[in-house]
Amino acid sequence: GPSMGANIPITDDLLLTLGAGYTHRGDFTRETDDGSGDFITRQKMKPGNTISLNASATYQLDTWSFMLGASYATESKTYIDGAENFRAGDRYTILGSVTQTWSNTWATVLSGNAIFSNKNETLPLGGSSVIPESYNSNNRVFRIGLDHLWTEGNWTLGPSISYLDRDKNAYDSLNYSYIPAKTRYAGGG
């Protein structure tokens, strides 16, 4: 999974960060059964590889700091026993934060992000190649948070509140888990 990036100072107060990454997942063999548990077979898996690009800009104005960033990730097809099986939809992320530094030990941070994903490509029953799913099973996720932080040495403490909205139910086939739609309000420290 090599990655590379650069921090480019535009002015004394403005920093541009650019990055790119590549994740090679590598082939492997997995064991699976026919559903009855009586017959075990081996499948040659070739998972999709991922390319990601990201950019952000950070601006410092006295005790204020502003950051705006974006990323894009695309994945190649996954093959099982040499046949196309799946391709995850391209993913887009937008994020940002505003920080007010009150003193050497106190700061307040407002942060947020939004994640969008295109439709996955799946293998239809009896098909030989993947096609875009008719319904986008991926989620749109929004999150915003507010933290008021006290920092001393290696310690950071403070209250935190956040809001998250995931627009619909999904099933994560790679982890065999159900991910419910939700709106979450959280508070803590």
Side-chain angles (χ1 to χ4, degrees):
S3 61
M4 63 181 197
N7 291 323
I8 304 164
I10 306 300
T11 68
D12 288 344
D13 300 322
L14 179 62
L15 178 68
L16 179 63
T17 301
L18 302 173
Y22 176 77
T23 303
H24 174 74
R25 295 197 174 121
D27 300 356
F28 63 94
T29 301
R30 75 173 181 183
E31 292 182 343
T32 185
D33 66 50
D34 65 352
S36 70
D38 295 331
F39 180 72
I40 301 289
T41 184
R42 295 182 189 280
Q43 291 180 322
K44 176 80 170 172
M45 300 292 299
K46 183 180 178 187
N49 301 320
T50 304
I51 295 173
S52 62
L53 304 170
N54 62 70
S56 66
T58 304
Y59 182 71
Q60 184 79 32
L61 178 64
D62 295 323
T63 59
W64 291 89
S65 176
F66 305 89
M67 189 278 296
L68 182 62
S71 71
Y72 167 76
T74 186
E75 188 172 307
S76 62
K77 295 175 184 175
T78 293
Y79 292 83
I80 299 178
D81 292 331
E84 294 179 10
N85 183 267
F86 178 80
R87 183 174 116 37
D90 293 352
R91 295 169 299 283
Y92 309 87
T93 303
I94 299 169
L95 55 112
S97 67
V98 176
T99 303
Q100 167 64 58
T101 303
W102 304 100
S103 68
N104 290 337
T105 55
W106 287 99
T108 303
V109 181
L110 175 66
S111 62
N113 62 42
I115 303 168
F116 306 93
S117 297
N118 290 344
K119 293 179 179 181
N120 296 327
E121 294 178 11
T122 58
L123 185 65
L125 190 61
S128 60
S129 64
V130 296
I131 60 171
E133 57 192 357
S134 58
Y135 171 77
N136 189 349
S137 64
N138 292 318
N139 283 283
R140 169 200 45 82
V141 180
F142 292 107
R143 183 194 171 279
I144 189 165
L146 180 65
D147 301 291
H148 186 63
L149 307 171
W150 171 79
T151 303
E152 186 69 43
N154 292 332
W155 290 91
T156 300
L157 302 170
S160 176
I161 59 172
S162 66
Y163 167 80
L164 176 134
D165 180 65
R166 183 172 30 249
D167 69 336
K168 59 187 165 193
N169 298 330
Y171 182 74
D172 182 350
S173 61
L174 298 176
N175 295 310
Y176 302 110
S177 62
Y178 173 75
I179 303 170
K182 74 157 98 175
T183 297
R184 181 190 72 199
Y185 301 90

